[in-house]
Amino acid sequence: GDSVTQMEGPVTLSEEAFLTINCTYTATGYPSLFWYVQYPGEGLQLLLKATKADDKGSNKGFEATYRKETTSFHLEKGSVQVSDSAVYFCALESGGSYIPTFGRGTSLIVHP
Amino acid sequence: DTAVSQTPKYLVTQMGNDKSIKCEQNLGHDTMYWYKQDSKKFLKIMFSYNNKELIINETVPNRFSPKSPDKAHLNLHINSLELGDSAVYFCASRITLGPAGELFFGEGSRLTVL
């Protein structure tokens, strides 16, 4: 079945550091890929998505590129801020399933 | 105006009790979901409804019974609560069943079973 593997957190960085959160997936066919973010005490919200190979999703300085050859969708940001502290979830949706499958979430803590 | 709202936000109860969590969305979406988030933040699908009809029922004990009186509401009733039911339950909605549409989540309902 479909699955998403994320690096285990927490990831702890200083402000303005470079961020990478790894995500790899297993799926049949060509899934759509997502990153969602959960700020403390809130529900998840969509950060970015990519629906086909080599697509790059981007939003709020975050980027992720759909790599079919390595089945990966790593999240990156060039300079993190304290306000980026949150839990980040990688997710996929296989064609025809209509049910997003989420990874276990990676906690990011950014210190001033 | 909250797009997806859940009540209650916090629920503390004893083992063996029955409880309900309500979810309402004012986005006009056709599809709604219940997800369970455990203490390690792992998010797992429980149910999916499309236009009031059950689409997906993952391997969930039959003590959990979802009900959708109309497409704006998806409630979750849990019978005979167990310690392992303690979690945060998230309701979510999407414009339509698929594909690849954005999910809109509620703030979650934290259930603690003592």
Side-chain angles (χ1 to χ4, degrees), chain A residues 6 36 38 43-44 89-91 100-105, chain B residues 34-46 88-92 103 105:
Chain A
Q6 289 181 236
Y36 279 80
Q38 183 182 24
L44 284 72
F89 292 86
C90 186
T101 298
F102 287 82
R104 63 178 304 142
Chain B
W34 277 110
Y35 280 88
K36 178 181 180 180
Q37 185 178 47
D38 64 23
S39 58
K40 297 188 177 181
K41 299 291 188 181
F42 190 68
L43 204 62
K44 186 174 179 182
I45 183 71
M46 298 177 71
V88 181
Y89 292 85
F90 284 99
C91 177
L103 261 63
F105 283 81

Side-chain angles (χ1 to χ4, degrees), chain B residues 54-105:
Chain B
L54 180 65
I55 300 298
I56 293 288
N57 179 355
E58 291 294 306
T59 309
V60 176
N62 58 15
R63 297 182 295 104
F64 290 78
S65 52
K67 283 204 171 40
S68 182
D70 56 61
K71 72 175 193 178
H73 295 84
L74 180 60
N75 304 323
L76 183 65
H77 187 76
I78 315 170
N79 289 326
S80 304
L81 279 157
E82 300 178 357
L83 293 177
D85 298 332
S86 295
V88 181
Y89 292 85
F90 284 99
C91 177
S93 73
R94 188 155 86 174
I95 287 178
T96 186
L97 195 55
E102 178 179 355
L103 261 63
F104 291 79
F105 283 81

Side-chain angles (χ1 to χ4, degrees), chain A residues 12-26:
Chain A
T12 305
L13 295 172
S14 297
E15 208 164 21
E16 299 184 4
F18 184 84
L19 168 71
T20 299
I21 299 178
N22 290 337
C23 171
T24 56
Y25 66 89
T26 303

